[in-house]
Amino acid sequence: VRRSPSIDYRTVRSLKDLALKALFDRFFKTEWLPRTGKADVFRSYVLQESWWLDEYSLYRALRAESGELPWTEWPEGVRDRDAFALTQARTRLSKEILFHQYVQWVAADQWQAVRRRAEGVEILGDFPFMVTLDSADVWSRRQDFILDASVGTPPDAFSETGQEWGLPPYDWDEARRNDFEWLRMRARRSANLYDGFRVDHLVGFYRTYVRPLDGRAPYFMPTEEKEQRALGEEVMRII
């Protein structure tokens, strides 16, 4: 892999996955089951980060069980988040869920170690405007998104037909009803990770070009400039 003229992502990923699973199996047998002090530290991490880690680790375990199919192609019960199906999945996949929590714990520990060593240097991150359809975020909070449309751009100098990005637009009415809970969670997570972050594609939080998947005419959301300014300023205050 190191001799490859370009990065062989597939092989690198499979090798890292193999190593992480070997490390986790050892941790599970020598730390988790005997309930050592190190296992207690891990438990504390899982509890502290449960507000995002619970759904993420369940999503990753279900995705692995499906052969890495997108959630839209999962069996109906877990795809549509039937409560009984999810309870069964948490029981059936408990060790796989724990593995993905363990990986996040290792990553968090290494990340904070880097930040400590980089004393005096600020580490900046990115706050992307959107997330992809096949993500733990959309699967667990689909009410916050419009699933039968895609974010894009209108025709311009770069493209006569505009662009379609394949990302689900926000349902701003629903987001407002739950006080923008998901965006607040994202901002909180970014604040925990970075000393500062850039809001990527900032204009998208003011107005979004929505392309319905059924062929209907695209439209800007919100439609009026006054509404666009109000939405963007509201979201910026939250972030």
Side-chain angles (χ1 to χ4, degrees):
V1 168
R2 288 185 174 135
R3 287 194 298 268
S4 174
S6 59
I7 298 175
D8 182 355
Y9 287 102
R10 185 182 299 274
T11 305
V12 169
R13 191 181 187 91
S14 65
L15 286 169
K16 287 189 175 185
D17 194 54
L18 189 68
L20 285 165
K21 284 180 176 174
L23 288 166
F24 171 72
D25 285 341
R26 183 177 184 277
F27 174 85
F28 187 79
K29 292 172 185 174
T30 63
E31 306 282 355
W32 183 257
L33 293 179
R35 300 182 68 89
T36 65
K38 192 172 183 179
D40 289 341
V41 173
F42 174 46
R43 283 189 180 89
S44 295
Y45 169 81
V46 170
L47 182 62
Q48 180 179 337
E49 303 296 331
S50 62
W51 57 280
W52 67 271
L53 187 58
D54 284 355
E55 293 289 359
Y56 171 80
S57 55
L58 176 59
Y59 164 85
R60 289 299 307 271
L62 285 166
R63 210 175 189 284
E65 183 183 48
S66 74
E68 300 300 332
L69 289 173
W71 67 261
T72 52
E73 298 178 30
W74 292 353
E76 184 177 340
V78 291
R79 182 196 67 197
D80 297 334
R81 297 184 59 81
D82 173 76
F84 181 66
L86 292 184
T87 298
Q88 285 186 313
R90 287 190 178 96
T91 301
R92 180 177 71 253
L93 300 172
S94 59
K95 190 174 181 182
E96 182 74 14
I97 291 170
L98 196 69
F99 165 68
H100 290 290
Q101 293 172 338
Y102 169 83
V103 171
Q104 291 301 307
W105 178 53
V106 171
D109 185 63
Q110 293 180 356
W111 177 253
Q112 294 307 327
V114 168
R115 294 187 71 182
R116 287 191 298 271
R117 287 200 297 271
E119 185 178 357
V121 176
E122 290 189 341
I123 298 178
L124 307 180
D126 219 20
F127 191 96
F129 160 57
M130 293 304 307
V131 292
T132 185
L133 173 65
D134 184 27
S135 60
D137 306 88
V138 178
W139 172 68
S140 62
R141 301 189 62 89
R142 69 193 68 179
Q143 71 276 6
D144 285 351
F145 300 89
I146 300 172
L147 300 186
D148 60 353
S150 168
V151 172
T153 64
D156 57 18
F158 298 101
S159 171
E160 292 182 0
T161 57
Q163 301 175 35
E164 183 175 325
W165 297 347
L167 306 172
Y170 294 108
D171 185 332
W172 290 119
D173 291 336
E174 178 59 35
R176 191 171 280 108
R177 275 193 288 271
N178 62 47
D179 194 26
F180 298 93
E181 181 183 44
W182 183 73
L183 280 174
R184 292 180 189 277
M185 291 170 67
R186 288 190 73 200
R188 175 183 169 190
R189 179 73 176 140
S190 293
N192 289 341
L193 288 172
Y194 309 118
D195 297 297
F197 55 83
R198 177 188 74 132
V199 180
D200 183 35
H201 201 69
L202 177 67
V203 70
F205 283 121
Y206 286 77
R207 57 179 173 84
T208 309
Y209 195 67
V210 177
R211 290 178 170 270
L213 300 181
D214 61 6
R216 285 180 291 132
Y219 57 91
F220 274 109
M221 179 179 63
T223 55
E224 301 297 329
E225 183 178 348
K226 183 179 178 181
E227 296 172 329
Q228 294 168 1
R229 287 182 178 274
L231 172 64
E233 289 169 8
E234 188 173 15
V235 172
M236 287 305 105
R237 281 194 297 272
I238 289 166
I239 295 176

